[in-house]
Amino acid sequence: MERVVLAERFRTIRPLGAGSMGVVHLAEDVSSGARVAVKVLPKELSSDAELAGRLAREAVATTAIDHPNVARAIEAGTDPDGTAWLVLEYVDGRSLREVLGAGALHPVRALKIARQVLLALGAAHTKGIIHRDIKPENVMLIAREGFDDEDVKVLDFGIAKLDQRHQLTGPSTSAGVVYGTPTYMSPEQVRREPADARTDLYALGVMLFEMIAGAPPFHGDDITVLARHLTLPPPPISSPISPETLTLAVRAFSARLLAKNPDARFASAEDAIVALDAALEAVQADKPIESGLRTGATLIPKGSLPPSPVSESATPLQKKTAKLAAFARSYGLTPSQLVFAFAVAIGLVLIVTAVAMATS
């Protein structure tokens, strides 16, 4: 690949990815040797007012926010041949989308990731910036050497909504146009209503649900998903890894983020952090969380968990109850939910048998 030097300072090394906004390159600052990421909008695309506006919007937003959980902008410009570019902090990690490819996350890990995303959103909202496209692809996870926890970086403010204090030259996002990714869009986005801080909180709620459950709350083609955001309540959240961690406080936190009415959600990212911290503290106080959560993305095989520890003096009934509880947890269920499912299944068998005998 031909190496290109932008602004006589940034030398491209190799492509990191490509999309509608051109190509993202790993590059180095020739003056310092530092690694950076460069978004390059080729000259044949730079004449597209929409794409050029997005690049300018991201440059303004990421420069204004200046927060450790947001990938910061370093420099932006246009070469004499018309190539527009934006230099960003290089984030050496994995996208949340890549991590979720291995399955659901432990709820505690998911909540800790969500907390850092909320910190980034709070910093953005304070500056009058609404992201409007929070999703796993736009969240990077960076391992901390020697620690279980990880750092989070929020990326891609290309379709962000900026208030009047940010004086942008060129086109802005158009009123009445739907911006975002269907799976993570809030009901008000679907209705083409103005977005505010609570719009980002809904998207985070969808992402948190996906991190814990292994799949987002609504499925189907884009039109079906958008309709479900408008009309259907989210299904009960469950965890295939640690269902006992989903306390009432955690479930209430998730449900409030996903409220259809923005007024029923948290008023701000800061309010959401207060509720998240309380839920997380209750979970960790009730049961210390073992180490190794950062690598715990693999789903536990159903039915494979060992029985809960019971003493040798336990009665046969207590031992059977412990085995039932462990078996139910491996399916992401409580014992009562598992018994109910068996009862429903037996009822259906009896009904089918009765109908078959009546018609024979």
Side-chain angles (χ1 to χ4, degrees), residues 160-240:
K161 175 185 175 183
L162 280 60
D163 69 10
Q164 296 83 351
R165 78 187 84 172
H166 304 283
Q167 297 182 359
L168 279 173
T169 58
S172 65
T173 52
S174 306
V177 176
V178 176
Y179 291 98
T181 302
T183 300
Y184 306 92
M185 285 173 65
S186 67
E188 61 269 25
Q189 280 177 292
V190 180
R191 291 191 294 265
R192 302 185 182 187
E193 296 171 354
D196 61 21
R198 298 167 299 178
T199 301
D200 284 344
L201 298 186
Y202 184 92
L204 174 64
V206 176
M207 194 170 74
L208 177 64
F209 190 108
E210 183 176 1
M211 286 192 284
I212 291 174
F218 303 118
H219 308 270
D221 58 52
D222 287 352
I223 299 300
T224 299
V225 169
L226 293 176
R228 289 174 175 172
H229 279 304
L230 287 173
T231 60
L232 293 183
I237 191 169
S238 62
S239 168

Side-chain angles (χ1 to χ4, degrees), residues 245-297:
T245 307
L246 297 183
T247 61
L248 182 61
V250 174
R251 293 177 185 275
F253 176 74
S254 170
R256 190 169 178 186
L257 289 173
L258 291 172
K260 302 295 184 190
N261 184 347
D263 291 337
R265 297 175 211 148
F266 297 102
S268 66
E270 290 76 14
D271 287 350
I273 289 172
V274 171
L276 188 156
D277 285 347
L280 198 53
E281 182 179 358
V283 168
Q284 293 176 319
D286 180 60
K287 181 182 179 181
I289 303 302
E290 66 277 4
S291 62
L293 294 183
R294 186 166 53 77
T295 57

